[in-house]
Amino acid sequence: QVQLVESGGGLVQPGGSLRLSCASSENIWNIWRMGWYRQAPGSQRDLVAKILRNGDATYADSFKGRFVISRDFATNSIYLQMNSLKVDDTAVYYCNAEPDGLHDVWGQGTQVTVSS
């Protein structure tokens, strides 16, 4: 069973940047789809970006152009580069994996706070 561990969250000022990491316990080339979601207090968990096994990446419209998802096979990790951060980006960010297109695995989440 794949396990996911997020890191890189923290406090940043509006307009700043932050890079989140998600380390997988298994080879990410063997995972059908991985992605990033976020959830603010009182809100639903929303998709930020996802990347398929073949490398195709997609983004929710709200984050397109500001956030970039990437992967590194050497570390079995995916990343989320967040730029031009806004206060509304404050949320818990979760790493997600669909190892076989059927099961769904989540990391514990990492807090991102955008504040001056």
Side-chain angles (χ1 to χ4, degrees):
Q1 189 72 52
V2 62
Q3 293 180 321
L4 307 173
V5 179
E6 300 99 331
S7 62
L11 175 65
V12 296
Q13 296 186 357
S17 298
L18 199 64
R19 191 190 193 201
L20 306 182
S21 300
C22 172
S24 170
S25 64
E26 299 183 4
N27 294 329
I28 60 174
W29 54 261
N30 200 35
I31 299 176
W32 170 243
R33 191 183 79 173
M34 300 185 71
W36 289 96
Y37 293 72
R38 76 180 190 185
Q39 186 170 18
S43 302
Q44 65 181 14
R45 186 173 298 185
D46 295 323
L47 171 70
V48 176
K50 58 185 178 181
I51 185 167
L52 296 175
R53 184 180 180 182
N54 63 7
D56 290 344
T58 58
Y59 303 85
D61 289 341
S62 298
F63 315 110
K64 188 177 299 182
R66 292 195 300 126
F67 293 3
V68 179
I69 189 171
S70 61
R71 63 184 179 181
D72 186 349
F73 292 111
T75 58
N76 288 315
S77 301
I78 65 167
Y79 304 92
L80 184 68
Q81 178 65 47
M82 303 184 293
N83 302 313
S84 301
L85 285 165
K86 302 179 292 184
V87 173
D88 289 346
D89 292 322
T90 297
V92 177
Y93 286 72
Y94 296 91
C95 184
N96 170 262
E98 298 178 27
D100 53 9
L102 297 175
H103 298 86
D104 198 42
V105 179
W106 296 92
Q108 81 286 350
T110 185
Q111 176 71 47
V112 172
T113 302
V114 185
S115 176
S116 59

